Amino acid sequence: MRKHLGAHLVLLGGGLIMVSPFVYQVLATFMTNDQITSVPPTLWPTEWDLGAYAAVFAQIPFLRQLLNTVVITVLTTVATLVLCALGGYAFARMRFYAKGPLFALVLTMLMVPGTLLLIPQYQTVQSFGWLDSFAGIVVPGLVNAFGIFMMRQFFLGLPRELEEAARLDGANPGQVFWHVMLPLARPGLSALAILTVMASWSSLLWPLVVVNSQDMMPLSVGLASFTGEHGTQFPSMLAASLMAMLPIVILFLVMQRRVIEGIAFSGLK
Amino acid sequence: MSARRHDGVWPWIFMTPILVPLAIFFLWPLLRTLYYSFTTWSFFGEVRWTGLDNYERLLSDPDFTLALGNTAIYTLIVMLNVPIAVYLAALMNRPGLRLRALYRALYFLPVVTMPVAVAIVWRMLYSGDFGLINAFLGLFGIQGPYWLSTPGVSLVAVAIVGIWLSLGFNIIVFSAGLNGIPPELYEAAAIDGATPWRQFRSITLPLLTPTLFFVTVLTLIGGFQVFDLIFVMLGTGPNAERSQTLVYFFYSEGFLHNDKGYATAIGIVIIALIALLTALQFRLQRRWVHYA
Amino acid sequence: MNRHLAAAAAAVAFCLVLSGCAADNAPAEKKGPVGIDYVIWDANALKPYKEIIAAFAKQRPDITVNIQALPWEQYWTKLQTQASSKSLPDVFWVNEPNAALYAANGALEPITSLPAENFPRGLIDSYTSGGKLYASPREIGTMGVWYNKRLFDKAGVAHPRKGWTQADFLDAARTISKKLDVFGAAAAPWTGQETYYNTIYQSGGEVVSADKRRSGYDRPETIAGIKLWVDLAKEGVSPSVQQITDTPVPQYFTSGKLAMMWSGPWNVNTLKDAKLAGDFAVAPMPKGSSGLVTTVQGGADAVSAQSEHKEAAQAFQAFLGSKTAQELFGAAGLGIPAFNGSSGSFTAAFPQWDLTFFAEQAANAAPYPASISAEAWNKLENEYLTKAWRGELSVEEACKQLAAAMNDVLAAEPK
């Protein structure tokens, strides 16, 4: 501890600044709306009121919407991993017609502001008859440009010799990918998994536009409904968002070593 | 190395599951959007071809210039994210440092918060009369501004939240990059008597440049696309118009003024600008990025 | 190779699962019971509406109503997206500017059978265009003056009462703020509905002309209606623009730091739970030089012209506009029902306050100022009036510039 005293001081100080908004958020969930909106504001709950948490369960079908979020997140993550592994490998190691332009197209996806394609994408989903379904929420987001980019970098960082050896043994490219490269890609895939889980967990506008019933809403949309035309119920909103965050935080704590190793492997060229 | 120029059918087996949804849910909508940008279109569906009118109007629209300037300023401030994240990641990555997992978790928490909650909490922190930030500055005798309603300051205030939100993500990417640097290099340098600063300058920084490049590209794209944060932080305040960014401008023309044709033209220009800057970065990387 | 087959099979199965989910939720066929979608923007209203829908089901057991509450912030974004592909919900909440916009584009089904005399004239006018009524009014939003009795007593100022005047209001605000360390009244450029819209009409001005062709901001009466608020802010009787950005007006009021808050009936639900609730009372709007004291605004229910189940949607809309449904709405404390004579259901739910005047005021209130491009000129109001509030421009100059900018926007509206 003494050896890195300076580092600890900086990191701890910075860390406290980073989490202080959360400390306030946690405290505020135990306040009444009246206390949160008091002038001047107070920092410590006077009554330790649990009403905010009760209100969350009373107002939105929290568990049902949590389940929707889990389903959407799992479907998205599994599909993203498969597609990004395939695409990333193809872009990194295979030679094919129009590879450069196709990769540029994938990068373009990163540059498009989210709401720009809202209406044409909605019309497409509607023509498939996918409104108000998991398919409508999940499928348009399956091609994840960030993920393909990241997996491409990852495969570029792996040594070529292993593939060459497998090829000499008579394996076709599919077998090389499946037996040799995919196992090596595990750290990269776990990193991508956690990033995808996070993004899909909190996505708001697209599911909101596609879903037409209270019971199909993911939690992110249900939470947003605590903002009304004439003001927000602050404690319930904060409590609900805290409850929604919790699974992700736990997942991160469990996965963090893998995430970091995963990104390290790619070298990110 | 084989001499074949193409790998036959295999790449297409790999690429088809990507290309089909990409064509349906991205390329086709994008092409239609491109078409709409040459039309006058309210959202009720009647589309009228007007050629380059939208683009000409855009060039002379003072709101566009304002939004472009605000976006540039915001992006520049948010870029500070990169050196801060490198510094903190380097500290966290010191060999033998305890509590590393705790630190990572602390800095990562903001990455997973819900945007609405972010806005509620930060608006309270920024309050001019009662906010914690000004109370803290007051301890040093500094009179803090009305962060969210003073022109010039409000954009900085939002950018600080932007940095807070993404710092943890960048620290983790950098930590990963640092882990990839072989420890023998540092040992050799220490034997040669290099100071920690010198080690950082001549080993860490050069070997980290590929990661730096990656993060810089992503941060710039993210900065240019800022919208939600401006919207939730400054939405109804007196500075909403003066602080509007490009994507905000797009949203307000398209969804508040119901001028979807003009809005799509703005969207196309945003993509073109980002593409240009990204291409520039890819060209410049040869000068400063060292690949092992 | 088997593994590839397995992977391919898994991919196919995945797609099947996804499309299977879609099939489950496909809209009900026309034969047998009909399902209609009803979309609102207030999640608080979900529970009371379950009751209203149950009451409707007794009349029309062949219709099922699927209700969905969207967040206010994204409500219109989603509806525009749906309108662009002709998939608007069968019945949905509208407000004045959007009803005008959707009606002008043929997206709303006109109402033929609603007895207009059952609703306040101002509301019916707001939702009528080209001689046709496009939505069934749901609630009445006139303004009142919420005040803090304790602060009035402490400063020795008489409580506001029916028939008081703008001058009385200004006196009270100034006196209390001078004597006690609190604000007298509060307004900001983005609180038009609650504050300066009312004083504009009280002074005989207007925000937009009745034919929606001209801005009223360059009229001297309109300027007078704004100037009185800017003066209060300058004198420190009202919190500044900056202060209201950080701390919304209701927060000052519920904390006992503000003597008077101009606002609508919707505050009852927050105010009744406040610690200081016993100090609060509410009075009718003060009178100005004109006969009008406030504007009347109120959400309404519209039927999509694109609906596949128009008969069912219209039957539900008609039920929503009936006395039965309106009284259920009122009794739940959601708002003052628009149906004449049914406001008692709402006021009875809050016996601690005399709320009857809100509905009475609707009789001589101006229709809420709105037009197709209201979203656009509301932003202009915010932009130019902020300059007046901050003292960067005189009120006259800011209003003149605002009128010019607003006229440009109005001229671009389809007429």
Side-chain angles (χ1 to χ4, degrees):
Chain A
M1 203 61 177
R2 222 176 308 138
K3 192 175 157 209
H4 297 295
L5 191 62
H8 279 293
L9 282 179
V10 173
L11 289 172
L12 203 61
L16 287 179
I17 293 175
M18 294 298 280
V19 290
S20 54
F22 286 99
V23 176
Y24 179 73
Q25 183 179 345
V26 174
L27 290 175
T29 59
F30 296 107
M31 298 181 191
T32 57
N33 199 51
D34 196 34
Q35 195 191 345
I36 288 194
T37 57
S38 68
V39 181
T42 41
L43 285 177
W44 201 252
T46 44
E47 292 161 34
W48 293 93
D49 180 62
L50 286 171
Y53 291 90
V56 173
F57 288 103
Q59 188 158 337
I60 58 174
F62 187 87
L63 291 176
R64 169 73 220 219
Q65 295 185 348
L66 182 67
L67 184 71
N68 291 337
T69 297
V70 170
V71 171
I72 292 167
T73 305
V74 169
L75 288 177
T76 309
T77 309
V78 170
T80 303
L81 291 181
V82 172
L83 294 187
C84 292
L86 290 174
Y89 183 71
F91 279 123
R93 284 290 204 264
M94 291 176 160
R95 283 155 300 175
F96 51 97
Y97 180 72
K99 180 169 149 181
L102 285 176
F103 188 62
L105 183 66
V106 169
L107 283 187
T108 313
M109 289 185 79
L110 279 177
M111 303 171 191
V112 174
T115 34
L116 181 62
L117 303 183
L118 188 66
I119 289 179
Q121 278 185 338
Y122 179 86
Q123 291 171 339
T124 311
V125 165
Q126 186 194 20
S127 65
F128 281 102
W130 284 354
L131 292 182
D132 206 29
S133 73
F134 287 129
I137 300 173
V138 170
V139 176
L142 283 192
V143 182
N144 175 339
F146 175 83
I148 295 176
F149 189 18
M150 192 174 136
M151 290 315 294
R152 169 186 178 262
Q153 304 300 98
F154 193 91
F155 284 116
L156 279 178
L158 295 177
R160 270 179 188 277
E161 293 76 22
L162 294 168
E163 287 163 288
E164 304 283 326
R167 289 234 189 171
L168 288 177
D169 289 346
N172 67 37
Q175 288 165 323
V176 172
F177 172 73
W178 189 258
H179 293 295
V180 181
M181 299 306 276
L182 209 53
L184 290 175
R186 251 184 233 151
L189 289 172
S190 4
L192 183 58
I194 195 153
L195 297 177
T196 311
V197 165
M198 273 161 30
S200 140
W201 194 267
S202 57
S203 67
L204 175 65
L205 189 62
W206 179 253
L208 184 144
V209 167
V210 173
V211 161
N212 285 332
S213 55
Q214 213 68 23
D215 280 346
M216 280 296 290
M217 281 182 177
L219 204 50
S220 52
V221 180
L223 280 179
S225 66
F226 282 99
T227 54
E229 189 191 7
H230 299 297
T232 302
Q233 306 161 44
F234 290 111
S236 326
M237 163 70 82
L238 295 174
S241 92
L242 212 58
M243 281 151 60
M245 261 175 72
L246 206 61
I248 297 289
V249 174
I250 293 170
L251 185 73
F252 173 75
L253 289 175
V254 175
M255 300 268 295
Q256 61 146 337
R257 289 202 49 165
R258 270 175 173 242
V259 174
I260 290 164
E261 286 166 15
I263 300 176
F265 248 87
S266 69
L268 301 164
K269 281 172 196 151
Chain B
M1 271 302 221
S2 101
R4 283 174 306 149
R5 294 200 53 229
H6 292 290
D7 283 321
V9 73
W10 277 102
W12 302 107
I13 296 179
F14 277 60
M15 291 297 292
T16 307
I18 293 171
L19 293 180
V20 171
L22 183 94
I24 298 174
F25 293 104
F26 177 70
L27 192 57
W28 176 235
L30 184 66
L31 290 176
R32 282 180 44 206
T33 302
L34 188 64
Y35 163 72
Y36 288 141
S37 76
F38 297 106
T39 66
T40 297
W41 174 43
S42 84
F43 56 86
F44 290 98
E46 297 135 47
V47 179
R48 197 158 43 85
W49 180 265
T50 47
L52 285 173
D53 283 8
N54 289 328
Y55 290 94
E56 280 167 18
R57 185 176 147 202
L58 192 58
L59 284 179
S60 55
D61 192 333
D63 279 352
F64 175 67
T65 328
L66 176 76
L68 185 62
N70 283 335
T71 307
I73 294 171
Y74 178 86
T75 308
L76 276 177
I77 303 175
V78 169
M79 285 284 183
L80 282 177
N81 206 327
V82 179
I84 299 174
V86 171
Y87 175 66
L88 292 172
L91 285 186
M92 273 183 215
N93 225 51
R94 289 196 179 175
L97 185 86
R98 282 161 192 248
L99 301 176
R100 186 175 296 151
L102 171 76
Y103 291 138
R104 277 184 194 147
L106 289 185
Y107 286 85
F108 197 71
L109 265 180
V111 182
V112 294
T113 12
M114 299 267 164
V116 267
V118 169
I120 295 173
V121 172
W122 276 92
R123 287 183 66 103
M124 287 176 174
L125 291 174
Y126 273 136
S127 168
D129 292 343
F130 312 112
L132 275 186
I133 294 178
N134 280 0
F136 180 74
L137 292 176
L139 294 180
F140 304 96
I142 303 169
Q143 166 75 51
Y146 285 100
W147 291 90
L148 298 178
S149 49
T150 307
V153 176
S154 52
L155 211 54
V156 178
V158 180
I160 291 175
V161 184
I163 293 177
W164 175 79
L165 274 174
S166 55
L167 192 61
F169 180 83
N170 289 346
I171 287 179
I172 281 166
V173 177
F174 282 127
S175 300
L178 291 168
N179 278 337
I181 301 176
E184 303 85 54
L185 290 176
Y186 291 106
E187 285 156 20
I191 290 167
D192 290 346
T195 61
W197 171 241
R198 174 113 196 108
Q199 291 178 21
F200 181 78
R201 279 287 314 268
S202 54
I203 301 173
T204 313
L205 218 47
L207 290 177
L208 203 60
T209 46
T211 317
L212 268 171
F213 174 70
F214 180 76
V215 172
T216 312
V217 169
L218 288 182
T219 307
L220 188 119
I221 292 180
F224 257 79
Q225 294 193 344
V226 64
F227 165 63
D228 287 22
L229 205 53
I230 301 267
F231 193 73
V232 292
M233 293 292 297
L234 305 177
T236 49
N239 267 4
E241 278 73 42
R242 285 185 222 195
S243 311
Q244 70 176 347
T245 55
L246 284 173
V247 179
Y248 195 109
F249 179 45
F250 152 77
Y251 175 83
S252 123
E253 289 298 328
F255 288 93
L256 301 182
H257 295 200
N258 311 311
D259 201 346
K260 293 275 191 300
Y262 187 44
T264 47
I266 299 168
I268 297 294
V269 170
I270 295 174
I271 299 174
L273 278 172
I274 298 178
L276 196 75
L277 288 168
T278 308
L280 195 71
Q281 283 179 295
F282 269 90
R283 282 202 76 90
L284 288 177
Q285 71 163 326
R286 286 178 211 147
R287 300 217 182 141
W288 65 279
V289 180
H290 305 267
Y291 289 110
Chain C
M1 256 341 244
N2 279 346
R3 290 197 185 192
H4 296 297
L5 279 177
V12 171
F14 180 74
C15 294
L16 284 177
V17 168
L18 287 174
S19 48
C21 299
D24 284 347
N25 289 285
E29 292 289 71
K30 212 155 189 185
K31 55 190 171 199
V34 172
I36 55 171
D37 285 334
Y38 179 43
V39 176
I40 66 175
W41 61 64
D42 182 359
N44 289 314
L46 279 174
K47 216 183 266 173
Y49 266 103
K50 295 251 157 78
E51 262 180 72
I52 294 176
I53 291 168
F56 177 64
K58 276 188 202 133
Q59 286 186 8
R60 291 291 303 264
D62 57 323
I63 303 174
T64 14
V65 179
N66 166 33
I67 185 170
Q68 190 194 16
L70 296 175
W72 167 249
E73 306 267 2
Q74 285 87 13
Y75 186 86
W76 295 110
T77 304
K78 169 157 181 171
L79 261 77
Q80 288 182 22
T81 308
Q82 293 179 308
S84 73
S85 45
K86 312 243 177 289
S87 60
L88 282 170
D90 304 287
V91 188
F92 55 96
W93 280 15
V94 288
N95 58 13
E96 290 83 351
N98 282 290
L101 176 67
Y102 283 63
N105 286 285
L108 300 187
E109 191 64 22
I111 303 178
T112 45
S113 59
L114 190 83
E117 66 278 7
N118 286 344
F119 298 90
R121 187 78 250 157
L123 283 179
I124 293 291
D125 285 351
S126 289
Y127 288 105
T128 303
S129 67
K132 286 182 185 156
L133 180 65
Y134 282 98
S136 157
R138 182 177 61 250
E139 58 184 312
I140 295 174
T142 66
M143 297 299 125
V145 181
W146 295 91
Y147 64 97
N148 187 317
K149 289 183 283 189
R150 186 200 293 268
L151 294 177
F152 270 77
D153 294 342
K154 226 165 136 189
V157 176
H159 293 196
R161 60 201 156 74
K162 205 173 176 171
W164 66 320
T165 64
Q166 242 184 39
D168 295 336
F169 158 70
L170 292 170
D171 274 350
R174 291 197 165 98
T175 313
I176 296 174
S177 146
K178 209 168 286 169
K179 283 199 183 163
L180 312 171
D181 184 25
V182 296
F183 294 112
W190 56 93
T191 65
Q193 181 186 5
E194 287 92 342
T195 57
Y196 59 85
Y197 278 9
N198 302 288
T199 46
I200 286 171
Y201 287 94
Q202 286 168 11
S203 310
E206 64 184 2
V207 172
V208 63
S209 64
D211 62 4
K212 320 289 184 199
R213 284 173 193 274
R214 276 198 57 76
S215 163
Y217 275 105
D218 45 6
R219 291 178 45 176
E221 300 89 350
T222 308
I223 295 173
I226 292 171
K227 193 161 183 303
L228 71 95
W229 292 103
V230 175
D231 287 344
L232 289 182
K234 257 183 213 156
E235 296 162 28
V237 174
S238 157
S240 69
V241 173
Q242 279 100 331
Q243 288 170 316
I244 297 177
T245 306
D246 291 343
T247 313
V249 175
Q251 299 193 9
Y252 284 107
F253 186 73
T254 50
S255 308
K257 299 286 190 286
L258 175 66
M260 287 178 279
M261 169 173 77
W262 288 32
S263 197
W266 54 77
N267 282 296
V268 284
N269 288 302
T270 334
L271 293 180
K272 74 173 169 27
D273 294 332
K275 203 171 272 168
L276 304 179
D279 293 345
F280 303 149
V282 62
M285 290 300 255
K287 284 188 163 50
S289 53
S290 80
L292 301 169
V293 290
T294 179
T295 63
V296 59
Q297 176 267 347
D301 295 289
V303 166
S304 160
Q306 307 154 358
S307 168
E308 285 170 27
H309 309 291
K310 225 171 261 177
E311 191 278 329
Q314 285 176 317
F316 183 56
Q317 183 190 39
F319 181 73
L320 291 172
S322 71
K323 196 163 185 179
T324 321
Q326 294 262 301
E327 285 186 340
L328 283 171
F329 178 86
L334 292 173
I336 297 179
F339 198 97
N340 286 339
S342 66
S343 64
S345 59
F346 175 82
T347 53
F350 304 94
Q352 62 271 55
W353 292 307
D354 179 11
L355 305 168
T356 49
F357 71 88
F358 280 112
E360 288 162 19
Q361 284 180 160
N364 60 343
Y368 186 69
S371 78
I372 293 178
S373 59
E375 293 262 25
W377 52 260
N378 287 342
K379 280 179 64 187
L380 295 173
E381 290 174 336
N382 193 8
E383 186 181 342
Y384 287 94
L385 295 181
T386 295
K387 293 180 184 173
W389 246 269
R390 283 206 163 119
E392 291 166 20
L393 288 177
S394 70
V395 177
E396 290 78 8
E397 187 53 36
C399 287
K400 273 195 186 117
Q401 291 183 10
L402 169 57
M406 185 169 153
N407 281 332
D408 287 347
V409 173
L410 291 171
E413 279 184 11
K415 289 287 174 333

